[in-house]
Amino acid sequence: MSTTAAPTAAPDQSRAVRRTLKVLVVSQIFGGAGMAAGITVGALLAQDLFGSTSLTGLPVALFTIGAALGAAVLGRVCQRSGRRLGLALGNGLAALGSAGVAAGAAARWPVLLLAALFVYGAGTATGLLVRYAGADLAPPERRGRATGTVLFAMTLGAVAGPSLVGPTGALAHAWGMPRLTGPFLLAAAAYAVAALVLLLWLRPGPPSSASSRHAPAVAARGGATPLRPAPGGPGVVTGATVMITAQLVMIAVMTMTPVHMTGHGHTPQAAGLVIALHVGAMFLPSPLSGLLADRFGTRAVATASGAVLLSAGLLAGLAPPASAPVLACALVLLGVGWNLALISGTALITDAAPVRTRASVQGLADVGMSVAGATGGMASGLVVGGSGYTTLSTAAGALALAVIPAVALRSTAP
């Protein structure tokens, strides 16, 4: 009897994993559209409502603070109730927040706008937390590629979102709302669809698949797993530091680029296109980044991300303000550097975190990313207001090169 059960179980398990990945991919497509739409016009909405360049980093700061809280809470929900409920809840909150942002901007009510931006941040946390679900499904030697597959799925929605600034703005205007609220209306619909996809079809959730595939004895007994990674293995702190630094650098430069462009005569549509290319570069290289991480090691890929982010900062700072193509190239490099850091950092954390507490640890790592993003978003407006966009971009690139390679190479390879 046992000889026939084992061969049957493996194909069933493989089908369950493939089905789970498909559901994650579909949800990421819609979630990417919601995330990117808000990023594109958040700073411009603040500039329009408050009439001050120094406060244009406030929306990014608020929804990244919301993402910090969301990552912590959703990580715990995923750990206790499964990723299906946790990820669906996050997307639902993001849909609610998106609608609130549009309503607050239309009513010119700053309190509602700012509160809704905080709730909207849960969506950015959810979109990134999904990558851990993909990593949990894979054995360690394929973890980078699994993470890359899930992140790559965000590309279609993430690129389409900023590109629809014009059409969604026209729709909002036809409804008697400010044009800049259009992308948030799109975000509300996209996040709602993502929540439904996860809620209806993510069965079983990735934690069950991961446990049964890679820790069968623990899953069967419900017993404890080691609370510390194996000596010499990649550490949670190393992976988190790589991702946190890249997030701070990326958010700081990205946030102020639309403001920098519109301040030098570019249209919001041109700025939206540049951000669309940037967001595409954040996710499009994911399969290649994952392959590189699996083949050459996560520390090597993390180190390379520091050099790429430095190049992006220097190019953005030295680019002629009137040259949208050069700024676009800089923002593409910025996205690629962030992607390399995220893929390598995710693999480092997933390798080090124990199965029993993995979702919570992953959520806490993303809390650090969100706090770094909030810091970068808030500081970026102040730096540009005081010293200019060139100073911001070059300093951010230098920070990436100083921190990421040093941290990634600090420990010896296992």
Side-chain angles (χ1 to χ4, degrees):
M1 297 293 292
S2 60
T3 57
T4 58
T8 303
D12 288 345
Q13 188 178 73
S14 179
R15 283 194 295 269
V17 169
R18 288 196 300 270
R19 182 180 182 278
T20 299
L21 279 174
K22 289 178 182 178
V23 174
L24 293 175
V25 164
V26 173
S27 73
Q28 284 290 80
I29 292 173
F30 288 100
M35 181 192 69
I39 289 173
T40 306
V41 298
L44 298 176
L45 263 180
Q47 186 179 38
D48 177 65
L49 190 59
F50 298 112
S52 171
T53 301
S54 297
L55 294 176
T56 50
L58 186 59
V60 174
L62 280 172
F63 73 65
T64 48
I65 291 173
L69 179 61
V73 173
L74 294 173
R76 285 186 171 273
V77 173
C78 290
Q79 190 70 54
R80 294 180 180 180
S81 304
R83 295 200 188 269
R84 171 177 163 263
L85 291 178
L87 299 177
L89 173 63
N91 279 301
L93 289 174
L96 181 64
S98 301
V101 170
R108 300 198 68 83
W109 190 8
V111 174
L112 176 58
L113 175 69
L114 298 179
L117 281 166
F118 184 83
V119 178
Y120 170 80
T124 62
T126 305
L128 292 180
L129 282 173
V130 174
R131 78 190 189 275
Y132 289 120
D136 284 348
L137 293 169
E141 67 274 9
R142 294 186 61 87
R143 198 153 274 159
R145 277 166 282 188
T147 305
T149 298
V150 175
L151 281 176
F152 176 78
M154 295 187 73
T155 304
L156 293 177
V159 173
S163 301
L164 295 174
V165 169
T168 58
L171 179 63
H173 181 70
W175 289 351
M177 303 176 70
R179 290 182 180 273
L180 290 176
T181 63
F184 280 100
L185 296 176
L186 170 66
Y191 277 125
V193 173
L196 287 175
V197 167
L198 292 167
L199 194 60
L200 295 176
W201 290 298
L202 191 62
R203 300 171 185 273
S208 301
S209 301
S211 299
S212 62
R213 181 173 179 178
H214 305 303
V218 173
R221 296 192 307 266
T225 57
L227 294 179
R228 297 173 62 89
V236 170
V237 173
T238 300
T241 303
V242 169
M243 295 192 304
I244 286 169
T245 305
Q247 180 80 351
L248 188 152
V249 170
M250 187 274 293
I251 289 289
V253 177
M254 178 204 67
T255 299
M256 297 311 299
T257 298
V259 177
H260 175 67
M261 292 182 66
T262 55
H264 287 85
H266 297 282
T267 65
Q269 287 75 22
L273 178 58
V274 169
I275 296 300
L277 293 172
H278 162 69
V279 176
M282 288 172 62
F283 300 106
L284 188 62
S286 295
L288 177 59
S289 298
L291 178 62
L292 292 174
D294 290 339
R295 180 163 297 180
F296 298 106
T298 50
R299 289 190 180 89
V301 173
T303 301
S305 73
V308 176
L309 289 170
L310 172 64
S311 301
L314 292 176
L315 184 59
L318 298 175
S323 177
V326 178
L327 285 169
C329 290
L331 269 289
V332 166
L333 280 175
L334 186 71
V336 171
W338 179 87
N339 181 267
L340 292 169
L342 189 72
I343 294 287
S344 57
T346 297
L348 284 165
I349 290 172
T350 304
D351 286 342
V355 174
R356 188 168 64 123
T357 57
R358 183 174 291 166
S360 295
V361 170
Q362 291 164 339
L364 289 176
D366 280 12
V367 169
M369 285 182 63
S370 298
V371 171
T375 303
M378 180 62 74
S380 64
L382 299 175
V383 172
V384 170
S387 302
Y389 180 79
T390 298
T391 299
L392 171 71
S393 300
T394 53
L399 175 66
L401 185 65
V403 174
I404 293 179
V407 171
L409 297 174
R410 181 177 59 187
S411 304
T412 58

